[in-house]
Structure formats: C-alpha cells, structure tokens
Amino acid sequence: GQSLEQPSEVTAVEGAIVQINCTYQTSGFYGLSWYQQHDGGAPTFLSYNGLDGLEETGRFSSFLSRSDSYGYLLLQELQMKDSASYFCAVLNTNAGKSTFGDGTTLTVKP
Amino acid sequence: EAEVAQSPRYKITEKSQAVAFWCDPISGHATLYWYRQILGQGPELLVQFQDESVVDDSQLPKDRFSAERLKGVDSTLKIQPAELGDSAMYLCASSSGLAGNSYEQYFGPGTRLTVT
C-alpha cells in the first residue's frame, strides 16, 4: 500500500517563511506533486518534483529526496491569501495514479 | 482559460435514492479522474480513465458506484443506492496523459453531496 504523512496544521505570520513536510511510503514511486486548496474550492496544482532537488516557482519551492522518501513545500513571503490546505500527492508509475495525503492547514496571521 | 466542468454543484438526496454526477474535462485531456473528498481529508481516487478505458477502479465500491466515459470525453459517476456515508465532495480532474504527464491535474469545482 501507500501512505503519506504531513502535519495537520501550521501557523505563521505574514511575510514569514514556512515549510510543510511530507514523508511517504510507496512502491513504484514516480514523483511528488503539491496542491493548494482554499476552503470550499478545488485543489490547484502548485509544483512537482520528479527528480531529487529543489524546484522553484515564484514564492513557492518544492524539494524531493528519493533516498529519504521525503519532500517539502516552502512558502516564502507569506500572504494572507496563502491560508489554505496544502496536499502532497505521490505519483505512482502504475498508469499515473496519484495518492494524496490528508493535507496541512496553513493559517497566516497578520 | 480552459476549465473542468462539473454538475450539479450541490446535491441533496435521500438514503437509498440514485444520484448521478457529470464531468466535462479540459478539451484534449485523455486522462480523467473521479475523487471523493471527505472534510478534513485528501482526495481519494475512485476511478481513473484513459480515454474511454478504466485504468484503475480499485477503490470504487462497485456494488453501488459505477462510472462511464463512453466516447472518451465527458464522464458520469453514479451511486445507487446512496448511503449516509456517501456524503462528501466528489471531484473530477483531468490531465493530458499517463505517468510523466499526469503530475499536473486540473480539478473541477466539485459536487457536494449530502445524503439524508
């Protein structure tokens, strides 16, 4: 089977940097994606790591270490609108199936 | 900007009734997914289509759930009979291909189902 672990809640202040970790256990690992979901909204794609290392997209960066079965999402210069749930998702080699974690609720305070 | 369309947005139904959800993926996207999301949890894959073929339905409760994508474009997810535990958000997503191209999924707005 597959399992993913991420913290349930994180709180930070506006302008700060926050890191959301994700550890996984899976067979047939292909890559790790990150999604953002605001309350009542649909998940939206943020970032993907297929190889070890750091991927940067504006204020958001994502990191992957295949040997450690670990990744993280880094959010810089936090804004109030970043308050949302963040999900890591393992992409499996089995026909591209994705398995999502239970999400981390980020609260950004003034 | 192309979007995944879903209808209805909200559905209230009584236990033991039948209910159906519809999804129209982004044009040209070969892969279509149906997810169920319970409040406070991540999306759980119910069924994945590649064109009109089912690629994965291992988590679909086949005694009451069915899904089809007859022409490889839009799709319908049906529940019959609905149970109280089926109350959840049902999300449809699409992507442009298998494996390496499937890491970016585009989600529709979802259908919030309440079973009474």
Side-chain angles (χ1 to χ4, degrees), chain B residues 10-36:
Chain B
Y10 304 91
K11 180 71 178 179
I12 300 174
T13 190
E14 293 184 348
K15 187 175 62 172
S16 79
Q17 295 299 303
V19 64
F21 313 130
W22 176 80
C23 172
D24 192 12
I26 292 173
S27 178
H29 277 192
T31 308
L32 185 147
Y33 313 80
W34 282 103
Y35 290 92
R36 175 170 59 189

Side-chain angles (χ1 to χ4, degrees), chain A residues 30 33 35 37 40-45 47-48 87 91-103, chain B residues 9 33 35 37 40-43 45 48 55-56 58-59 89 91 98-100 102-105 107-109:
Chain A
Y30 196 90
S33 298
Y35 288 81
Q37 185 176 32
T44 56
F45 173 80
S47 187
Y48 173 74
F87 297 90
L91 180 63
N92 193 279
T93 52
N94 178 21
K97 175 180 177 178
S98 285
T99 301
F100 285 75
D102 280 340
Chain B
R9 292 292 307 276
Y33 313 80
Y35 290 92
Q37 186 175 26
Q41 298 182 17
L45 181 68
Q48 178 179 337
V55 173
D56 189 308
S58 57
Q59 299 302 311
M89 176 74 84
L91 294 163
L98 286 174
S102 291
Y103 61 80
E104 184 170 2
Q105 298 182 21
F107 284 81

Side-chain angles (χ1 to χ4, degrees), chain A residues 32-55:
Chain A
L32 190 71
S33 298
W34 289 91
Y35 288 81
Q36 178 192 61
Q37 185 176 32
H38 286 98
D39 268 352
T44 56
F45 173 80
L46 291 177
S47 187
Y48 173 74
N49 294 80
L51 301 174
D52 283 1
L54 192 67
E55 292 287 337

Side-chain angles (χ1 to χ4, degrees), chain A residues 42-79:
Chain A
T44 56
F45 173 80
L46 291 177
S47 187
Y48 173 74
N49 294 80
L51 301 174
D52 283 1
L54 192 67
E55 292 287 337
E56 297 180 82
T57 310
R59 295 189 296 115
F60 295 175
S61 302
S62 59
F63 172 83
L64 176 66
S65 169
R66 285 171 171 261
S67 60
D68 295 323
S69 297
Y70 164 76
Y72 67 71
L73 179 69
L74 191 73
L75 298 84
Q76 302 182 73
E77 301 173 15
L78 281 174
Q79 303 175 9

Side-chain angles (χ1 to χ4, degrees), chain B residues 14-77:
Chain B
E14 293 184 348
K15 187 175 62 172
S16 79
Q17 295 299 303
V19 64
F21 313 130
W22 176 80
C23 172
D24 192 12
I26 292 173
S27 178
H29 277 192
T31 308
L32 185 147
Y33 313 80
W34 282 103
Y35 290 92
R36 175 170 59 189
Q37 186 175 26
I38 296 169
L39 195 63
Q41 298 182 17
E44 175 195 16
L45 181 68
L46 293 175
V47 61
Q48 178 179 337
F49 290 92
Q50 176 71 18
D51 299 311
E52 67 277 5
S53 300
V54 172
V55 173
D56 189 308
D57 63 357
S58 57
Q59 299 302 311
L60 188 72
K62 299 181 188 63
D63 57 335
R64 298 185 300 108
F65 286 62
S66 64
E68 60 182 16
R69 194 185 183 197
L70 293 177
K71 296 182 180 179
V73 181
D74 59 338
S75 175
T76 302
L77 178 70

